């Protein structure tokens, strides 16, 4: 498998300031030493609780925010070293689908203008109307609606339009950041199916961010689990669901409600909230909530260890 992205030792820290002078009193450690590859034509599901750093990672990969340190290689070139013009070319190839389709579309623009805007930004003038018609066909919407405004559509239809805008320049990579969590359950499956079809049809590579393991299971080829700015486990989908190793992965899976009471006592129930990234625990970041925590876990940080060809785990138990 060819790597599209190689993320190396990526860190993101936000300064915390205090008072009128803006003195730095500490840092929020949003991403800590992230090493991750994204392969061409795969959907990598990124799962974790709110505040675990998933969206920060997605935004760094698109260079919508600049990380504190590290490298993000896109086809062997570090996007963090690109100049403005090179970055514009990169953006044509790497797009974002936002969580909330009610906020991500300009309410004053007609759908036609929303879809035309990326062509104008990138100085493309050929066959725009034909490309807009084709994209409407791909997302399953009628071209009659191009003259309407976003408020005239349901949430699912707006998310289709937002997806159309993201793929209209034929990008190679998409970050889909919780693209269905603001939608009704009945509509979620339609949007997930649309993204799966588009991935096949357009040979897209996708980072699919979600806290919903059932959707991640449905759509992803590989799964990465994040906790407090660190990757705790990465595995291929079937390996992850049948043979996950990290206690946090187990806890996330145990949190999915099932009707059966069987094996309830063996489940890991997560207690308390995610610790503050402003003052993260020393050693293993998960030790404050882990039922298997030892003295070593409180002092030392486990490495992300490779346990089989495509399976990596960060835990001293492994
Ligand atoms: Fe739990 Fe220790 Fe493994 Fe961390 S390293 S997940 S605290 S057993």
């Amino acid at each position: 498998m060819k790597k599209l992205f190689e993320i190396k030792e990526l860190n993101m820290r936000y300064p915390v300031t205090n008072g009128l002078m803006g003195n730095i009193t500490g840092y929020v450690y949003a991403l800590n030493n992230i090493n991750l590859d994204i392969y061409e034509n795969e959907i990598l599901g990124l799962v974790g609780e709110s505040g675990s750093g998933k969206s920060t990672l997605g935004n760094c990969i698109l260079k919508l925010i600049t990380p504190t340190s590290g490298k993000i290689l896109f086809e062997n070139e570090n996007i963090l070293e690109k100049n403005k013009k090179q970055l514009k070319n990169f953006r044509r190839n790497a797009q974002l689908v936002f969580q909330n389709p009610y906020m991500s579309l300009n309410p004053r623009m007609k759908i036609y203008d929303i879809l035309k805007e990326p062509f104008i930004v990138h100085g493309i003038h050929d066959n725009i109307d034909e490309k807009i018609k084709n994209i409407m066909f791909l997302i399953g919407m009628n071209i009659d609606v191009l003259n309407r405004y976003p408020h005239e559509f349901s949430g699912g239809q707006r998310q289709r339009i937002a997806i159309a805008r993201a793929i209209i320049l034929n990008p190679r990579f998409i970050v889909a950041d919780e693209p269905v969590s603001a939608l009704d359950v009945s509509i979620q499956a339609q949007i997930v199916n649309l993204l799966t079809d588009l991935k096949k049809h357009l040979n897209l590579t996708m980072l699919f961010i979600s806290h919903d393991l059932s959707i991640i299971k449905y759509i992803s080829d590989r799964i990465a689990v994040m906790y407090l700015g660190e990757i705790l486990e990465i595995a291929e989908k079937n390996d992850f669901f049948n043979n996950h190793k990290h206690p946090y992965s187990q806890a996330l899976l145990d949190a999915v409600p099932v009707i059966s009471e069987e094996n309830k006592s063996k489940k890991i129930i997560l207690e308390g909230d995610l610790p503050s990234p402003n003052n993260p625990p020393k050693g293993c970041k998960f030790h404050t909530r882990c039922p298997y925590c030892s003295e070593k876990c409180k002092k030392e940080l486990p490495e992300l260890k490779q346990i089989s060809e495509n399976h990596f785990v960060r835990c001293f138990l492994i």
Side-chain angles (χ1 to χ4, degrees):
M1 283 189 292
K2 194 177 161 206
K3 291 173 188 174
L4 188 65
F5 277 95
E6 286 171 76
I7 297 153
K8 294 176 187 276
E9 295 171 9
L10 195 73
N11 290 287
M12 183 73 209
R13 283 186 314 179
Y14 295 103
V16 179
T17 54
N18 197 5
L20 280 177
M21 304 298 285
N23 295 330
I24 295 176
T25 54
Y27 289 93
V28 172
Y29 297 87
L31 297 177
N32 300 302
N33 204 26
I34 301 283
N35 288 292
L36 183 67
D37 296 330
I38 302 177
Y39 298 106
E40 222 167 36
N41 206 17
E42 76 164 348
I43 297 183
L44 176 64
L46 188 60
V47 69
E49 289 167 276
S50 298
S52 57
K54 307 183 298 294
S55 296
T56 307
L57 180 57
N59 288 337
C60 282
I61 293 174
L62 296 177
K63 211 190 168 224
L64 297 177
I65 51 175
T66 305
T68 313
S69 63
K71 285 183 184 170
I72 301 172
L73 304 182
F74 175 70
E75 298 193 307
N76 299 320
E77 288 182 16
N78 189 357
I79 61 161
L80 304 178
E81 291 171 353
K82 285 184 186 289
N83 61 31
K84 224 173 165 184
K85 193 175 164 206
Q86 291 167 329
L87 207 54
K88 198 171 168 188
N89 286 337
F90 165 73
R91 294 246 159 82
R92 203 177 148 176
N93 272 314
Q95 291 284 328
L96 174 66
V97 176
F98 293 91
Q99 174 177 0
N100 190 342
Y102 294 90
M103 304 284 284
S104 63
L105 301 176
N106 187 336
R108 295 202 183 102
M109 288 172 80
K110 290 183 176 173
I111 304 310
Y112 175 80
D113 296 320
I114 288 172
L115 296 179
K116 191 178 174 186
E117 197 177 30
F119 293 103
I120 296 167
V121 170
H122 288 275
I124 300 165
H125 305 289
D126 302 335
N127 305 326
I128 295 178
D129 287 356
E130 198 185 322
K131 285 172 184 163
I132 289 177
K133 279 181 197 165
N134 287 343
I135 217 76
M136 292 299 281
F137 174 74
L138 268 182
I139 61 161
M141 287 183 78
N142 200 307
I143 54 169
D144 297 347
V145 304
L146 285 170
N147 251 341
R148 295 203 202 154
Y149 289 91
H151 74 267
E152 297 177 66
F153 296 93
S154 67
Q157 287 170 322
R158 286 186 211 203
Q159 196 59 302
R160 281 175 190 269
I161 295 162
I163 291 167
R165 181 182 56 185
I167 60 170
I168 200 154
L169 295 183
N170 219 356
R172 301 190 49 205
F173 175 69
I174 279 188
V175 173
D177 189 356
E178 303 265 12
V180 295
S181 55
L183 305 176
D184 290 342
V185 177
S186 55
I187 306 297
Q188 288 183 358
Q190 292 175 18
I191 298 297
V192 168
N193 284 336
L194 173 66
L195 287 169
T196 315
D197 291 345
L198 291 175
K199 178 228 169 188
K200 281 185 206 143
H201 194 81
L202 304 173
N203 281 334
L204 275 172
T205 304
M206 204 180 298
L207 180 68
F208 188 93
I209 298 172
S210 180
H211 60 270
D212 187 332
L213 267 174
S214 53
I215 290 173
I216 287 276
K217 184 177 185 180
Y218 183 76
I219 198 168
S220 308
D221 300 304
R222 280 192 311 142
I223 290 163
V225 178
M226 273 195 90
Y227 186 83
L228 219 56
E230 282 180 356
I231 302 273
L232 298 189
E233 185 158 10
I234 311 172
E236 284 179 356
K237 176 170 65 179
N238 290 337
D239 200 14
F240 179 80
F241 281 97
N242 299 323
N243 192 27
H244 49 275
K245 298 289 182 198
H246 200 283
Y248 182 59
S249 305
Q250 182 64 50
L252 286 180
L253 287 161
D254 286 348
V256 177
V258 282
I259 292 169
S260 165
E261 291 285 304
E262 210 181 319
N263 294 334
K264 201 174 176 183
S265 58
K266 289 184 199 157
K267 288 186 173 184
I268 299 177
I269 309 293
L270 281 178
E271 285 177 8
D273 293 326
L274 202 70
S276 167
N278 197 354
N279 185 21
K282 288 201 170 58
C284 172
K285 298 279 185 297
F286 186 57
H287 87 249
T288 55
R289 298 164 90 192
C290 180
Y292 310 112
C293 172
S294 66
E295 281 309 307
K296 185 179 180 185
C297 305
K298 294 177 187 171
K299 291 179 198 142
E300 292 176 35
L301 178 67
E303 281 176 24
L304 191 63
K305 255 195 235 161
Q306 185 167 18
I307 59 165
S308 63
E309 195 186 345
N310 287 312
H311 198 158
F312 298 80
V313 186
R314 188 190 292 277
C315 175
F316 288 126
L317 290 180
I318 309 303

